[in-house]
Amino acid sequence: MNKSVSRREFLINSARLATTTTLIATGLLSYSKYSYSLPAKAIRPPGALNEKAFNAACIRCGLCVNDCPFPTLSLATLKDDVALGTPFFTAREAGCEMCDDIPCVKACPTGALDKNLTDINDAKMGLARIVDTKGCIAYQGLRCEVCFNVCPIRGKAITIEMRHNKRSGKHTMFIPIVNYDHCTGCGKCEQACIMEEAVIKVLPTKLAMGKRQDHYKLGWEEKQKSGKSLVSPDIEHKYNLPEGKKYDLQGKGLTDVKVESSLDNALDTLNKFNPLFDIKSK
Amino acid sequence: MKKKINICQKTGLDAQKSKGWLGANKYLIMRRISQLSILFVFLLGPWFGIWIVKGNLTSSLTLDTLPLTDPYVLLQSFFAGHSIIKDALIGALIVIVFYLVVGGRVFCSWVCPVNIVTDAANWLRCKLGVQNKGGGITSKTRYWLLAMSFILAFVTGSVVWELVNPVSILHRGIIFGMSFGWGLIALIFLFDLLVVNKGWCSRLCPVGAFYSLLGKGSLLRVSAKNRDDCTDCLECFSVCPESQIIRPALKGQGSDIILDGNCTNCGRCIDICEPDVFSYTTRFKKNTTK
């Protein structure tokens, strides 16, 4: 009798505890889903593992924040949309200054910031993209180049491409181009962008980059890699144009050519006016 | 039905008469000094630029040499799928050894900032005479929450409990910025005051549950050495955050040492006991007089 009562009590108590725990767990699970969706504007410190691994590894001690010599890094509070207590920075407010000795990575006790990152230029905190070419005044033909000039890897991560200004017909546009290979995602460009809302933004690498399937091979790259063309025979492209016509790719396009004397062989006639031959002879 | 006298309201008055105010509050004062000075040392850096300690209670670096890491958080990280690296492991081992010596839940009563909040709630509850019982939340619940925190870490692959852990939220918040975190702390206070008596620290908190497991084998203990002098005033039961742990040592036939891992070594029972039944000792010190 006694025994059955205590067993009954035990079962009821266990069920009660299990219910309470499950209730809390359910709430916590749904909160965590919301909590761990990192907004695009929040950037992790250099060397941060991919977001999933980072959320397992970071214990929110703030040692990286303490050792950051600039007011860049902070730990998320409840008013940020970032998982509570995890370190992040917002490029528009303060970009990463890319210290040579990477003190934040050194300070991390758990390896959430990967110690294998020893050269700050190898960091991939994100990727800067000009998200609004209409908004960017350089694309409108105005001189700016602020992002190019503040870039810590100046001349590599952001280069200036000169383009013809079609609108005016006589000016050059100085277009900033972000280069994937060198951009660390430090965010100095976004911070410095002089537009009211930055037109160059650091995005999470995943968001900023597409991915090409492996079966797309770029012939010229493959050629360089293997030392010879993978396509055989490796022939120069030729235009098969009728007599008296000439095609200039960079110039005026299809034009008439005055034929001085006709040749017997039709193929010779065609090749004679092939612009590629002209280039070769130059 | 007879009206119950609220013991908590007269607790310590007799001891105060015989030992003086200081004598009857000695360990309480020392605990507050300990809790606040630990917090203060952490704040010296961000507030005054004096960097003795960096980080917070989950992981810190003292004088650029001594690493300390909370083993509970590290274990969550491990369950979430992260392989623990040397730096954090050394810090955690130092902490584990420390608490094995002084008592696992010494963290709760001498270090944890939430203890100040819940002690305040408990004090006010007594002053206002608020009657609240367990409400079905037993002191076992914390072990379920402890297990839950590990299981959730494993399932989600992230350190989920740290999203809501009031212990780290309060300590980290004071140092690194709190914002709405105060709301959660206020909730804990109100929960303890109005809903469940000693609800957070003694029934729910998985951090305490974790450290109680460490405390099962810890060296420093409280003993009811002079239990023969006990006057059955029940004040120690009233003041103890884990009152269920006293009986075996005080009223049992066996060892007079409180061996339960949930004893926080707060020393409050030593403070308020008029006949000085309790004192600190080690777990190996056998009382030979009886």
Side-chain angles (χ1 to χ4, degrees), chain B residues 27-41:
Chain B
Y27 290 115
L28 180 65
I29 294 164
M30 282 165 67
R31 279 201 306 121
R32 292 289 176 257
I33 292 172
S34 164
Q35 288 163 331
L36 293 173
S37 54
I38 287 169
L39 197 57
F40 187 67
V41 174

PDB file of all heavy atoms in Angstrom, chain B residues 27-41:
ATOM      1  N   TYR B  27      29.430  36.364   8.647  1.00  0.00           N
ATOM      2  CA  TYR B  27      29.618  35.736   7.328  1.00  0.00           C
ATOM      3  C   TYR B  27      28.756  36.387   6.258  1.00  0.00           C
ATOM      4  O   TYR B  27      29.139  36.423   5.090  1.00  0.00           O
ATOM      5  CB  TYR B  27      29.365  34.228   7.420  1.00  0.00           C
ATOM      6  CG  TYR B  27      30.453  33.530   8.190  1.00  0.00           C
ATOM      7  CD1 TYR B  27      30.184  32.905   9.403  1.00  0.00           C
ATOM      8  CD2 TYR B  27      31.764  33.530   7.723  1.00  0.00           C
ATOM      9  CE1 TYR B  27      31.202  32.281  10.120  1.00  0.00           C
ATOM     10  CE2 TYR B  27      32.785  32.924   8.429  1.00  0.00           C
ATOM     11  CZ  TYR B  27      32.499  32.285   9.634  1.00  0.00           C
ATOM     12  OH  TYR B  27      33.504  31.700  10.333  1.00  0.00           O
ATOM     13  N   LEU B  28      27.610  36.910   6.678  1.00  0.00           N
ATOM     14  CA  LEU B  28      26.773  37.627   5.707  1.00  0.00           C
ATOM     15  C   LEU B  28      27.525  38.839   5.173  1.00  0.00           C
ATOM     16  O   LEU B  28      27.572  39.080   3.963  1.00  0.00           O
ATOM     17  CB  LEU B  28      25.461  38.062   6.367  1.00  0.00           C
ATOM     18  CG  LEU B  28      24.492  38.823   5.453  1.00  0.00           C
ATOM     19  CD1 LEU B  28      24.006  37.926   4.326  1.00  0.00           C
ATOM     20  CD2 LEU B  28      23.305  39.368   6.243  1.00  0.00           C
ATOM     21  N   ILE B  29      28.152  39.573   6.100  1.00  0.00           N
ATOM     22  CA  ILE B  29      28.915  40.765   5.687  1.00  0.00           C
ATOM     23  C   ILE B  29      30.090  40.362   4.796  1.00  0.00           C
ATOM     24  O   ILE B  29      30.334  40.976   3.754  1.00  0.00           O
ATOM     25  CB  ILE B  29      29.410  41.537   6.933  1.00  0.00           C
ATOM     26  CG1 ILE B  29      28.211  42.099   7.705  1.00  0.00           C
ATOM     27  CG2 ILE B  29      30.351  42.659   6.533  1.00  0.00           C
ATOM     28  CD1 ILE B  29      28.537  42.535   9.109  1.00  0.00           C
ATOM     29  N   MET B  30      30.768  39.296   5.208  1.00  0.00           N
ATOM     30  CA  MET B  30      31.914  38.846   4.403  1.00  0.00           C
ATOM     31  C   MET B  30      31.466  38.404   3.003  1.00  0.00           C
ATOM     32  O   MET B  30      32.156  38.649   2.015  1.00  0.00           O
ATOM     33  CB  MET B  30      32.650  37.701   5.116  1.00  0.00           C
ATOM     34  CG  MET B  30      33.541  38.198   6.254  1.00  0.00           C
ATOM     35  SD  MET B  30      34.058  36.890   7.363  1.00  0.00           S
ATOM     36  CE  MET B  30      35.100  35.930   6.298  1.00  0.00           C
ATOM     37  N   ARG B  31      30.301  37.762   2.934  1.00  0.00           N
ATOM     38  CA  ARG B  31      29.796  37.339   1.636  1.00  0.00           C
ATOM     39  C   ARG B  31      29.488  38.527   0.729  1.00  0.00           C
ATOM     40  O   ARG B  31      29.821  38.538  -0.451  1.00  0.00           O
ATOM     41  CB  ARG B  31      28.523  36.500   1.810  1.00  0.00           C
ATOM     42  CG  ARG B  31      28.807  35.061   2.165  1.00  0.00           C
ATOM     43  CD  ARG B  31      27.635  34.160   1.851  1.00  0.00           C
ATOM     44  NE  ARG B  31      26.377  34.604   2.456  1.00  0.00           N
ATOM     45  CZ  ARG B  31      25.307  34.893   1.749  1.00  0.00           C
ATOM     46  NH1 ARG B  31      25.342  34.824   0.437  1.00  0.00           N
ATOM     47  NH2 ARG B  31      24.185  35.262   2.350  1.00  0.00           N
ATOM     48  N   ARG B  32      28.847  39.532   1.330  1.00  0.00           N
ATOM     49  CA  ARG B  32      28.529  40.718   0.523  1.00  0.00           C
ATOM     50  C   ARG B  32      29.812  41.410   0.052  1.00  0.00           C
ATOM     51  O   ARG B  32      29.906  41.847  -1.102  1.00  0.00           O
ATOM     52  CB  ARG B  32      27.677  41.699   1.327  1.00  0.00           C
ATOM     53  CG  ARG B  32      26.295  41.206   1.638  1.00  0.00           C
ATOM     54  CD  ARG B  32      25.390  41.154   0.412  1.00  0.00           C
ATOM     55  NE  ARG B  32      24.107  40.580   0.765  1.00  0.00           N
ATOM     56  CZ  ARG B  32      23.730  39.335   0.485  1.00  0.00           C
ATOM     57  NH1 ARG B  32      24.533  38.543  -0.210  1.00  0.00           N
ATOM     58  NH2 ARG B  32      22.568  38.875   0.876  1.00  0.00           N
ATOM     59  N   ILE B  33      30.784  41.484   0.935  1.00  0.00           N
ATOM     60  CA  ILE B  33      32.068  42.085   0.541  1.00  0.00           C
ATOM     61  C   ILE B  33      32.680  41.269  -0.601  1.00  0.00           C
ATOM     62  O   ILE B  33      33.154  41.817  -1.595  1.00  0.00           O
ATOM     63  CB  ILE B  33      33.039  42.170   1.739  1.00  0.00           C
ATOM     64  CG1 ILE B  33      32.513  43.179   2.752  1.00  0.00           C
ATOM     65  CG2 ILE B  33      34.447  42.532   1.281  1.00  0.00           C
ATOM     66  CD1 ILE B  33      33.288  43.208   4.060  1.00  0.00           C
ATOM     67  N   SER B  34      32.627  39.947  -0.451  1.00  0.00           N
ATOM     68  CA  SER B  34      33.188  39.076  -1.487  1.00  0.00           C
ATOM     69  C   SER B  34      32.466  39.274  -2.823  1.00  0.00           C
ATOM     70  O   SER B  34      33.100  39.509  -3.863  1.00  0.00           O
ATOM     71  CB  SER B  34      33.077  37.619  -1.028  1.00  0.00           C
ATOM     72  OG  SER B  34      33.252  36.748  -2.121  1.00  0.00           O
ATOM     73  N   GLN B  35      31.133  39.214  -2.795  1.00  0.00           N
ATOM     74  CA  GLN B  35      30.355  39.351  -4.039  1.00  0.00           C
ATOM     75  C   GLN B  35      30.616  40.699  -4.715  1.00  0.00           C
ATOM     76  O   GLN B  35      30.870  40.775  -5.916  1.00  0.00           O
ATOM     77  CB  GLN B  35      28.852  39.229  -3.729  1.00  0.00           C
ATOM     78  CG  GLN B  35      28.419  37.829  -3.369  1.00  0.00           C
ATOM     79  CD  GLN B  35      27.057  37.803  -2.672  1.00  0.00           C
ATOM     80  OE1 GLN B  35      26.664  38.748  -1.994  1.00  0.00           O
ATOM     81  NE2 GLN B  35      26.356  36.692  -2.814  1.00  0.00           N
ATOM     82  N   LEU B  36      30.567  41.765  -3.896  1.00  0.00           N
ATOM     83  CA  LEU B  36      30.697  43.099  -4.478  1.00  0.00           C
ATOM     84  C   LEU B  36      32.117  43.387  -4.924  1.00  0.00           C
ATOM     85  O   LEU B  36      32.334  44.031  -5.956  1.00  0.00           O
ATOM     86  CB  LEU B  36      30.225  44.161  -3.474  1.00  0.00           C
ATOM     87  CG  LEU B  36      28.722  44.120  -3.165  1.00  0.00           C
ATOM     88  CD1 LEU B  36      28.367  45.075  -2.047  1.00  0.00           C
ATOM     89  CD2 LEU B  36      27.905  44.442  -4.414  1.00  0.00           C
ATOM     90  N   SER B  37      33.107  42.879  -4.170  1.00  0.00           N
ATOM     91  CA  SER B  37      34.477  43.193  -4.571  1.00  0.00           C
ATOM     92  C   SER B  37      34.858  42.425  -5.833  1.00  0.00           C
ATOM     93  O   SER B  37      35.607  42.929  -6.668  1.00  0.00           O
ATOM     94  CB  SER B  37      35.472  42.944  -3.437  1.00  0.00           C
ATOM     95  OG  SER B  37      35.336  41.649  -2.950  1.00  0.00           O
ATOM     96  N   ILE B  38      34.336  41.204  -5.987  1.00  0.00           N
ATOM     97  CA  ILE B  38      34.599  40.465  -7.231  1.00  0.00           C
ATOM     98  C   ILE B  38      34.025  41.245  -8.419  1.00  0.00           C
ATOM     99  O   ILE B  38      34.685  41.444  -9.437  1.00  0.00           O
ATOM    100  CB  ILE B  38      34.017  39.040  -7.159  1.00  0.00           C
ATOM    101  CG1 ILE B  38      34.867  38.180  -6.224  1.00  0.00           C
ATOM    102  CG2 ILE B  38      33.973  38.398  -8.546  1.00  0.00           C
ATOM    103  CD1 ILE B  38      34.268  36.850  -5.874  1.00  0.00           C
ATOM    104  N   LEU B  39      32.801  41.719  -8.236  1.00  0.00           N
ATOM    105  CA  LEU B  39      32.173  42.523  -9.281  1.00  0.00           C
ATOM    106  C   LEU B  39      32.981  43.789  -9.545  1.00  0.00           C
ATOM    107  O   LEU B  39      33.213  44.190 -10.693  1.00  0.00           O
ATOM    108  CB  LEU B  39      30.753  42.886  -8.837  1.00  0.00           C
ATOM    109  CG  LEU B  39      29.786  43.359  -9.914  1.00  0.00           C
ATOM    110  CD1 LEU B  39      29.661  42.316 -11.005  1.00  0.00           C
ATOM    111  CD2 LEU B  39      28.430  43.668  -9.301  1.00  0.00           C
ATOM    112  N   PHE B  40      33.434  44.405  -8.462  1.00  0.00           N
ATOM    113  CA  PHE B  40      34.171  45.663  -8.570  1.00  0.00           C
ATOM    114  C   PHE B  40      35.494  45.478  -9.320  1.00  0.00           C
ATOM    115  O   PHE B  40      35.870  46.318 -10.135  1.00  0.00           O
ATOM    116  CB  PHE B  40      34.424  46.232  -7.175  1.00  0.00           C
ATOM    117  CG  PHE B  40      35.021  47.608  -7.172  1.00  0.00           C
ATOM    118  CD1 PHE B  40      34.289  48.697  -7.635  1.00  0.00           C
ATOM    119  CD2 PHE B  40      36.321  47.821  -6.729  1.00  0.00           C
ATOM    120  CE1 PHE B  40      34.841  49.971  -7.647  1.00  0.00           C
ATOM    121  CE2 PHE B  40      36.880  49.090  -6.737  1.00  0.00           C
ATOM    122  CZ  PHE B  40      36.142  50.167  -7.194  1.00  0.00           C
ATOM    123  N   VAL B  41      36.188  44.386  -9.037  1.00  0.00           N
ATOM    124  CA  VAL B  41      37.458  44.127  -9.723  1.00  0.00           C
ATOM    125  C   VAL B  41      37.229  43.994 -11.226  1.00  0.00           C
ATOM    126  O   VAL B  41      37.998  44.490 -12.035  1.00  0.00           O
ATOM    127  CB  VAL B  41      38.142  42.858  -9.156  1.00  0.00           C
ATOM    128  CG1 VAL B  41      39.382  42.516  -9.963  1.00  0.00           C
ATOM    129  CG2 VAL B  41      38.526  43.054  -7.715  1.00  0.00           C
TER     130      VAL B  41
END
